[in-house]
Amino acid sequence: VRQGDLSVRVEEKAASDEIASLGRAFNRMTSRLGAQREALVEANSQLDERRRFTEAVLSGVTARVIGLDPEGKITLPNKAASELLGVSLNDGIGLPLAGFVPEFLPLIDEVKSNRDRTIERETPVKRNGKARAFLVRLTIEQTDNRIVGFVFTFDDITELQAAQRKAAWA
């Protein structure tokens, strides 16, 4: 049992003395431990499968997506987000978003006070000396009124704004 073999059983005697009772208790204990371990392995397998599915979906969409945990640490970025920001967000998994996109941080406080739990804002972002305009949507992930994470989706609308200004001047 110490080495992880929970299929080990002791021979149960029909006697009703303390040794027989101890043997039955040991067999029940190892049986329960084995069932619990199987349930944990199955639950972990399902979580891994869901994560792989989510990552596959995110890698195939063109929208830029960054998932955060309740503390604001990156949990699930997609490749499109990394490419637009010019940083490897996959290397930042487990690190605070503040180190990668500090411009997004004020939105987290704002969305917490929003009843809809979703906000959408134009947010200026400066990268490599260039000012860009991002349209950012932030949604809170909740379970039982408890924040379990945040999801940022965003796009670069700099060229769209420039075209709108040109059209207005024309």
Side-chain angles (χ1 to χ4, degrees), residues 141-153:
E141 292 182 83
Q142 284 186 285
T143 301
D144 301 325
N145 288 328
R146 183 176 58 88
I147 296 174
V148 294
F150 302 92
V151 177
F152 279 95
T153 54

Side-chain angles (χ1 to χ4, degrees), residues 41-170:
V41 167
E42 177 62 25
N44 281 334
S45 175
Q46 288 178 1
L47 285 172
D48 286 344
E49 190 174 314
R50 287 180 189 161
R51 181 172 180 86
R52 282 192 303 274
F53 174 76
T54 303
E55 288 174 348
V57 169
L58 284 177
S59 69
V61 297
T62 56
R64 284 68 173 198
V65 181
I66 302 173
L68 304 178
D69 69 7
E71 289 80 41
K73 294 178 182 172
I74 299 169
T75 57
L76 195 60
N78 73 347
K79 184 178 179 183
S82 292
E83 288 172 354
L84 180 61
L85 294 170
V87 295
S88 176
L89 293 171
N90 281 332
D91 293 342
I93 292 176
L95 298 175
L97 179 67
F100 297 89
V101 196
E103 297 91 345
F104 286 3
L105 291 183
L107 300 176
I108 293 175
D109 291 330
E110 186 178 343
V111 77
K112 287 179 182 177
S113 63
N114 188 310
R115 285 187 327 159
D116 296 333
R117 299 301 202 197
T118 298
I119 60 169
E120 188 172 284
R121 299 284 180 269
E122 286 185 23
T123 304
V125 176
K126 198 168 193 173
R127 290 289 174 268
N128 301 322
K130 291 183 180 178
R132 311 292 295 173
F134 286 4
L135 182 61
V136 181
R137 182 177 178 90
L138 175 58
T139 303
I140 292 179
E141 292 182 83
Q142 284 186 285
T143 301
D144 301 325
N145 288 328
R146 183 176 58 88
I147 296 174
V148 294
F150 302 92
V151 177
F152 279 95
T153 54
F154 57 98
D155 273 307
D156 187 344
I157 59 169
T158 307
E159 292 177 18
L160 175 65
Q161 285 182 337
Q164 287 173 338
R165 280 193 298 275
K166 286 178 186 177
W169 281 105

Side-chain angles (χ1 to χ4, degrees), residues 1-23:
V1 171
R2 179 175 48 184
Q3 294 174 358
D5 183 3
L6 297 176
S7 64
V8 173
R9 300 291 182 265
V10 295
E11 184 180 330
E12 292 185 26
K13 305 252 183 194
S16 61
D17 64 354
E18 292 175 353
I19 298 295
S21 177
L22 184 61

